[in-house]
Amino acid sequence: MVDILHRVGVENASPEKVYDTLTTVEGLSGWWTDDTRGVAEVGGVLQFRFPAGGFDMEVVDQRPSEHVKWKVVDGPQEWIGTTVDWRLRPEGENTILLFKHEGWKEPVEFMHHCSTKWATYLMSLKSLVETGEGAPAPRDVRIAYPD
Amino acid sequence: MVDILHRVGVENASPEKVYDTLTTVEGLSGWWTDDTRGVAEVGGVLQFRFPAGGFDMEVVDQRPSEHVKWKVVDGPQEWIGTTVDWRLRPEGENTILLFKHEGWKEPVEFMHHCSTKWATYLMSLKSLVETGEGAPAPRDVRIAYPD
């Protein structure tokens, strides 16, 4: 088992504000993909769609301002059954966001790609909260060609 | 043992051109840190310095246009003994760059930070090759406060 790990600090933002970007369709649409639908509550399923495909995530845990966890129930074969875990904590006026995409079976090349791509989406989330503007798909940062 | 993995595609660039950014002091200074010194050949040591500290890397392998590997011989305690591995391959007119920072003992919070930070530096390297301009320290992309 190998994991993708990331950490960003969101400046001048409460954990509550960051939590909203992970637990509302509007918030998720602002940094990950314009085409986000579904039910952002425990037991609900969120559908994230991109030009090249998409992911369905079952919401496994949501603890306000602290923790969000999703389980991938549909998407690329390598993603199915993996989990995406978000932990938030305040640090002064800021919020630390810890990210884990866990349960990959093998460190395949696609996992390398997803690791870099997640980093750019976390920077998009940070920008959304700090400036009001993220870079969700299809206006996402390109890390290759196609992405 | 846990690893940091990344992948970027550098557009309209040969593996040789990307290899130069990993094996010359001038190239390394263009995307990682302005303050890069040392000897970029097998058995040599490269010194990378940042406002907050730095790393000394022994060059373990350099195979032109294909592979570069460094071993961390000085720096933060969590980094010492870890290795940084770069693999290049052509893909049409482009170059695929696969990155691994291996040998972390524990998935500590600092490792989460380094994973995201490496992603931004790989994007800096990609930008350096594609546009002539990277974002090395101290002009690096901030992922938190301080970084």
Side-chain angles (χ1 to χ4, degrees), chain A residues 23-66:
Chain A
T23 55
T24 65
V25 168
E26 186 192 349
L28 291 159
S29 303
W31 65 266
W32 201 16
T33 176
D34 275 359
D35 191 354
T36 299
R37 303 172 201 197
V39 179
E41 55 189 54
V42 174
V45 173
L46 288 162
Q47 285 112 23
F48 301 99
R49 294 292 176 271
F50 300 79
F55 314 106
D56 286 2
M57 307 280 199
E58 182 189 333
V59 180
V60 174
D61 192 27
Q62 285 191 175
R63 268 180 288 137
S65 306
E66 281 184 17

Side-chain angles (χ1 to χ4, degrees), chain B residues 14-33:
Chain B
S14 63
E16 188 180 4
K17 199 169 171 193
V18 177
Y19 182 80
D20 283 348
T21 69
L22 298 171
T23 55
T24 64
V25 168
E26 186 192 350
L28 291 159
S29 303
W31 65 266
W32 201 16
T33 177

Side-chain angles (χ1 to χ4, degrees), chain B residues 7-126:
Chain B
R7 177 190 189 274
V8 292
V10 187
E11 276 187 88
N12 298 313
S14 63
E16 188 180 4
K17 199 169 171 193
V18 177
Y19 182 80
D20 283 348
T21 69
L22 298 171
T23 55
T24 64
V25 168
E26 186 192 350
L28 291 159
S29 303
W31 65 266
W32 201 16
T33 177
D34 274 0
D35 190 353
T36 299
R37 303 174 200 195
V39 178
E41 54 190 55
V42 174
V45 173
L46 289 162
Q47 285 111 22
F48 301 99
R49 293 293 175 271
F50 300 80
F55 313 106
D56 285 3
M57 307 278 199
E58 182 189 333
V59 180
V60 174
D61 192 27
Q62 286 191 174
R63 266 180 288 137
S65 306
E66 281 184 17
H67 186 235
V68 173
K69 187 168 184 168
W70 303 327
K71 183 176 178 180
V72 183
V73 292
D74 203 359
Q77 178 263 323
E78 297 92 336
W79 278 51
I80 293 174
T82 61
T83 57
V84 177
D85 188 279
W86 306 87
R87 286 189 188 274
L88 309 168
R89 70 163 195 268
E91 194 177 73
E93 299 301 304
N94 312 308
T95 293
I96 295 292
L97 179 56
L98 289 174
F99 170 93
K100 281 191 289 190
H101 184 177
E102 297 179 289
W104 290 76
K105 287 191 183 70
E106 299 288 341
V108 291
E109 185 163 330
F110 181 49
M111 184 179 172
H112 293 65
H113 166 84
C114 294
S115 176
T116 312
K117 196 75 188 177
W118 270 125
T120 64
Y121 281 123
L122 265 76
M123 293 300 285
S124 168
L125 185 161
K126 172 176 160 68

Side-chain angles (χ1 to χ4, degrees), chain A residues 8-20:
Chain A
V8 293
V10 187
E11 274 189 90
N12 297 311
S14 63
E16 187 180 4
K17 200 169 171 193
V18 177
Y19 182 80
D20 284 348

